[in-house]
Amino acid sequence: MQRPGTSAARHVDPRPGPAAIAAGGEMGARIRAHDWAATPLGPIEAWPQGLRTALRLMLTTRHPVFIFWGPDHRCLYNDAYAASLGPEAHPRILGIPFREAMPEAWPLIAWQVDQVMQGGEATWHEDHLVPIWRHGRQEEVYWTYSYGPIDDPATPHGVGGVLVLCHETTRQVQARQDAEARYSMLFQAIDEAFCIVEMLFDVEGRAFDYRFVEVNPAFLRHTGLQGAEGRTARELVPDLEPYWFQIYGDVAVTGTPTRFENHAAGLDDRWYDVYAFRVGDPAQRRVAILFNDITQRRRAEMALSDREERLRLIVEGARDYAIFTTDADGLVDLWPPGAAAVFGWTADQAIGRPAAITFTPEDRDTRQPERQLALARRDGTAPDVGWRLRHDGIRVFIEGSVTAMRHADGRIRGFLRIGQDVTRRRAGEERQALLTREVDHRAKNALAVVQTILRLTRAENLSTFASIVEGRVAALARAQTLLAEEQWVGADLHTLLRGELAPFLGGQRVQMDGPALVLPPGMAQPLAMAIHELATNAAKHGALSIEGGQVRVTWERRPGQHHDESARLCLQWREAGGPPIAAPPGRHGFGARVLEGTIRRQLGGSLFLDWRETGLACGIEVPLANEDTVLADQPAEPSQTLAGM
C-alpha cells in the first residue's frame, strides 16, 4: 500500500485544494502555504474527503480543534488551539509528527490516539494532565477533550486520523486542588469538631437519623464517640434527642444554614455551639456540622459569681496546642491564644519575629529551623518534634508539624505550624527508646559492612591486612560519627570529604570546591567508603604517594531535566603531580569492587575511571531521589585546600 500523496495512493479530487480551506484566519493561511508535497500527506489536492471535511470544520470554528493525521500523526490545528501553544511550538509543529512536536506529551496520549485509530470509536477525557513545553519550561497543563475518528477507507481500519475538540482547564483544576488542600488542612487542624452527615428520612419525609460520612480529629475530643464514620447517630447514641434530627433535616431539605446552641443529654450531658449547612448535591441530603463543646461555659453561666474566673482557668488550663502561621520567610503573622499559652510570648511580642524564637540555642546553632523549612518547602510538610523554648526560658517538648501553604500556582505563601505540648507524657523516655532502636539499627548495619571488609580484604601479610582493614573501618567510623553528631539528620559533604582525606596527607595538597550540601544518612556511609578507596589508591600509587602530589575534588547538585526526574550529585576526583601512569591496572582489586558496589549497586549511580598518564580521573554521579538531601540555606563553600603537615 502506497503512502498518501503518491500518484497511486487514491483518487485526486479535481477541485483545487486551497479552495477547500479558504477560511481559517492565520492557520488557514499557513496550511494553504505549507509545502505538503514534501510530506507523506502529499499535496492538498490528493487529501481524502474525510480529511478535507474535518479540516473545513476545524478552520471555521472558534473552538480549539486539533487533527492527528496519518500513521505518524501529523499535526494540524486552528487559531483557537494555537492560543494554547507557546512560541516554542507555534507554528513549528504544523505538519510534523506529534511525537516530534510534543515529545513530553506523546507518551500520555499515544494509547488514546491508537484506540481511536484502530477501534474507530470516539473517546472523552476530562481534566486530563497532558504537559506541554511552553514559555521556556515544561508546564503541567490540564485539558478536557474528545477524540473522534476521521474516516479514510484507504486505511486498514478505515480511520485516517483523529479529530480533537479540546479546552484547557488548568486554572480550574489548580483552583480546585488548592481549595481541596486548604479544606483538608483546615479540616485536620482546627480545634473545633467537624463532621459531614447524610440525613435519613422515613416514607413520610421526616428525618429520623443520620449517618456519619466524615469526621475530623477534634470530633472525638468534643463527643467521646469512637469509630463514628459509617455508623448512624442512633447506633452510637440510642437516646439522642429527636430535635437534632429535625434541625439537620430542615437544613438538608431547604438548604438554609443555621447556627444554634443545644443540649445533648446522651453525650454525657454536654452542650454544643453548632453551625450546620448543606453541602454537595441537594439529592444527597448531606449536612456539614461545625461545633464546639461549650458545656463548661454553659455550666459556668449557671454558677455563682465566680463563674467567669473559673471558666478562664479551665480554658487556659486546657490550651496545650500551639497553632500559628508564618509568612513565606518564616516570620510570625498569626499568633492565637493557644500559641501564647504554650510558648509564653504575647501576640504583640511574637508577630513579625521568626518562628525560630521557639527553638533552643543549640538547634539554632545547627540551623535546624532552616533545615526544617527547607524540608517543608520541598515535601510540603516536615515534622516539628523536639525540645522547644518558652519566653521564660523553660523548655517544653513539642510534637507537631510544619505544613507549607501554597498559592494556586505552587508558590509558597506561608507555613502552618501545629504543635502540642506533651512534656508531661514522659516524652524523654519515649525519645530515648526511639534513639535506642535507631542506634541498634545503625550498629547492625555497621557490623555487616565490617564483616564484608574482613571477608574481601586481601594482603600479602598480617601486618598489611591489619593496616588495610583499620583504614577502611576508620572511614566507616568517621562517617558514623559525623552522622551521630548531626543526630542522624544528615552529613555535610564538605566535612565528610575533609575527614576522609586528612589522614592521607603528607606533603600533598587536596583542593575542594563545591556548594554546601547535606547528604541524607543513607548516602553518607557508602560515599565515605568510596572516597576512602580513592584516597587509598592515590596514597599507594597516585598523587598522594609522593610529596608535591595534588588532588582536586569538585561537586555540584544538578536538577533533573524533566519534572519527574530526580536531582543528582555530581562529584569529580582529579589527580596530578603523582607518578606517571603507563596503563590502567590489569585487574580490579577490593577498592574497585567497593567503588562499584557503593556507587552503582548501593546508590544506583554511575561511575567512570580514566587512568590518564598524569593521574587518575574519576567521575561519580548518584541520584538524590527519595532522600532527605537538603541544600543548606547558606552560600556555597569557598574553594579550600588541605595541605599535609
Side-chain angles (χ1 to χ4, degrees):
M1 186 172 181
Q2 293 181 305
R3 283 187 172 184
T6 60
S7 59
R10 52 173 58 86
H11 175 69
V12 177
D13 194 309
R15 294 174 296 170
I21 53 171
E26 176 195 351
M27 289 310 301
R30 289 187 179 276
I31 292 173
R32 290 191 294 273
H34 196 77
D35 184 10
W36 297 106
T39 72
L41 273 67
I44 294 178
E45 292 81 0
W47 290 3
Q49 183 61 46
L51 175 57
R52 291 200 305 272
T53 301
L55 190 64
R56 177 68 176 174
L57 172 64
M58 180 184 77
L59 294 177
T60 55
T61 181
R62 295 184 179 180
H63 190 86
V65 180
F66 193 95
I67 292 176
F68 299 101
W69 186 258
D72 55 356
H73 312 104
R74 299 273 168 167
C75 301
L76 297 163
Y77 57 95
N78 63 2
D79 287 351
Y81 185 87
S84 297
L85 298 172
E88 299 92 343
H90 172 68
R92 175 184 61 84
I93 68 172
L94 178 63
I96 68 175
F98 190 81
R99 68 173 67 246
E100 299 175 10
M102 297 185 183
E104 68 278 6
W106 178 246
L108 298 176
I109 66 170
W111 67 273
Q112 300 171 355
V113 176
D114 290 343
Q115 181 181 2
V116 178
M117 294 283 287
Q118 298 173 15
E121 295 185 3
T123 63
W124 171 260
H125 309 275
E126 188 170 356
D127 294 336
H128 187 66
L129 175 61
V130 182
I132 64 174
W133 189 273
R134 64 184 180 186
H135 308 305
R137 64 186 179 91
Q138 182 169 298
E139 296 185 5
E140 291 190 351
V141 184
Y142 291 85
W143 305 85
T144 292
Y145 56 92
S146 65
Y147 284 167
I150 303 175
D151 294 338
D152 184 2
T155 63
H157 299 284
V159 177
V162 177
L163 180 68
V164 185
L165 304 178
C166 57
H167 175 64
E168 183 178 348
T169 60
T170 304
R171 290 185 178 179
Q172 297 91 318
V173 172
Q174 289 179 341
R176 184 169 64 249
Q177 291 173 342
D178 187 51
E180 291 173 354
R182 284 185 293 174
Y183 163 76
S184 178
M185 184 185 305
L186 179 63
F187 186 77
Q188 297 294 326
I190 60 175
D191 189 56
E192 291 84 357
F194 185 76
C195 63
I196 296 176
V197 301
E198 178 185 356
M199 297 306 303
L200 305 177
F201 295 86
D202 59 22
V203 293
E204 297 179 358
R206 291 191 296 255
F208 68 90
D209 203 353
Y210 52 83
R211 188 181 309 279
F212 291 99
V213 177
E214 192 173 1
V215 301
N216 75 337
F219 179 88
L220 176 60
R221 295 199 308 274
H222 286 272
T223 65
L225 300 178
Q226 294 272 8
E229 289 187 2
R231 303 174 67 184
T232 68
R234 289 196 181 275
E235 286 183 75
L236 297 168
V237 190
D239 56 348
L240 189 63
E241 295 82 359
Y243 50 70
W244 294 100
F245 310 127
Q246 179 182 349
I247 294 172
Y248 297 150
D250 289 343
V251 173
V253 172
T254 65
T256 303
T258 182
R259 181 158 197 160
F260 61 94
E261 293 182 1
N262 224 337
H263 179 238
L267 287 173
D268 297 329
D269 207 29
R270 302 189 191 194
W271 282 84
Y272 292 102
D273 176 20
V274 183
Y275 179 67
F277 54 97
R278 188 171 69 187
V279 294
D281 191 324
Q284 293 180 302
R285 302 294 176 89
R286 290 188 174 184
V287 178
I289 307 168
L290 182 69
F291 62 96
N292 272 307
D293 180 357
I294 60 169
T295 304
Q296 297 295 341
R297 176 170 66 81
R298 290 300 296 261
R299 289 175 180 174
E301 288 174 352
M302 296 181 288
L304 299 173
S305 59
D306 63 346
R307 67 186 185 278
E308 291 183 1
E309 178 63 16
R310 291 196 299 170
L311 178 61
R312 184 184 64 82
L313 294 175
I314 290 171
V315 172
E316 291 182 356
R319 287 184 176 175
D320 58 352
Y321 275 92
I323 303 174
F324 63 99
T325 63
T326 70
D327 62 16
D329 296 322
L331 301 180
V332 175
D333 55 15
L334 179 64
W335 190 262
V342 171
F343 292 117
W345 279 275
T346 66
D348 290 340
Q349 293 170 327
I351 291 177
R353 300 184 65 184
I357 61 173
T358 64
F359 281 73
T360 61
E362 55 267 30
D363 281 349
R364 291 198 293 268
D365 289 343
T366 57
R367 301 179 64 81
Q368 292 298 322
E370 292 84 354
R371 294 183 183 182
Q372 186 186 75
L373 284 187
L375 187 60
R377 288 190 185 97
R378 191 193 69 181
D379 295 345
T381 184
D384 185 17
V385 179
W387 290 102
R388 299 291 180 259
L389 198 65
R390 286 173 47 87
H391 182 47
D392 55 12
I394 296 176
R395 300 192 177 204
V396 292
F397 198 88
I398 296 295
E399 288 185 356
S401 62
V402 181
T403 303
M405 301 182 294
R406 299 181 182 274
H407 293 286
D409 60 3
R411 291 181 297 111
I412 297 288
R413 61 186 180 91
F415 297 91
L416 171 66
R417 307 183 73 101
I418 303 175
Q420 183 183 16
D421 180 1
V422 296
T423 309
R424 296 182 181 180
R425 288 183 3 201
R426 302 180 66 181
E429 290 82 355
E430 295 176 2
R431 178 62 178 171
Q432 184 62 41
L434 178 62
L435 182 57
T436 300
R437 291 194 296 270
E438 179 67 16
V439 169
D440 178 66
H441 172 70
R442 298 294 177 181
K444 289 178 180 178
N445 283 350
L447 288 174
V449 175
V450 170
Q451 288 175 337
T452 301
I453 291 173
L454 292 173
R455 186 174 64 252
L456 297 180
T457 299
R458 299 289 183 269
E460 297 177 355
N461 53 60
L462 183 59
S463 176
T464 304
F465 176 85
S467 177
I468 295 174
V469 169
E470 181 181 355
R472 288 167 176 164
V473 172
L476 180 65
R478 284 190 292 270
Q480 188 92 350
T481 300
L482 182 59
L483 287 171
E485 290 174 349
E486 295 297 327
Q487 302 179 9
W488 297 97
V489 173
D492 177 69
L493 177 58
H494 188 273
T495 303
L496 183 147
L497 290 169
R498 187 169 59 243
E500 293 302 331
L501 294 173
F504 293 91
L505 300 182
Q508 304 84 12
R509 297 163 60 86
V510 174
Q511 185 177 7
M512 295 181 291
D513 190 8
L517 184 65
V518 178
L519 300 175
M523 183 180 291
Q525 290 178 326
L527 191 59
M529 291 295 294
I531 296 300
H532 174 80
E533 294 307 321
L534 287 171
T536 299
N537 179 76
K540 289 181 179 180
H541 313 291
L544 301 183
S545 65
I546 62 175
E547 187 172 353
Q550 296 184 7
V551 174
R552 176 175 173 81
V553 184
T554 61
W555 65 92
E556 62 177 332
R557 181 184 186 273
R558 294 179 182 174
Q561 296 182 354
H562 304 290
H563 74 283
D564 58 348
E565 184 178 357
S566 63
R568 304 181 74 84
L569 167 65
C570 300
L571 185 144
Q572 302 289 330
W573 171 285
R574 296 285 186 271
E575 297 183 24
I581 299 176
R587 62 182 182 87
H588 288 307
F590 177 75
R593 293 197 297 273
V594 169
L595 289 173
E596 291 282 343
T598 56
I599 301 304
R600 288 198 172 123
R601 290 190 290 276
Q602 190 170 355
L603 297 179
S606 60
L607 168 75
F608 81 86
L609 298 171
D610 185 4
W611 300 91
R612 303 172 181 173
E613 182 179 356
T614 56
L616 172 64
C618 174
I620 294 173
E621 187 170 332
V622 291
L624 300 175
N626 301 320
E627 292 282 5
D628 293 334
T629 306
V630 179
L631 273 175
D633 291 340
Q634 62 188 48
E637 293 279 359
S639 177
Q640 295 191 13
T641 300
L642 295 179
M645 301 299 295

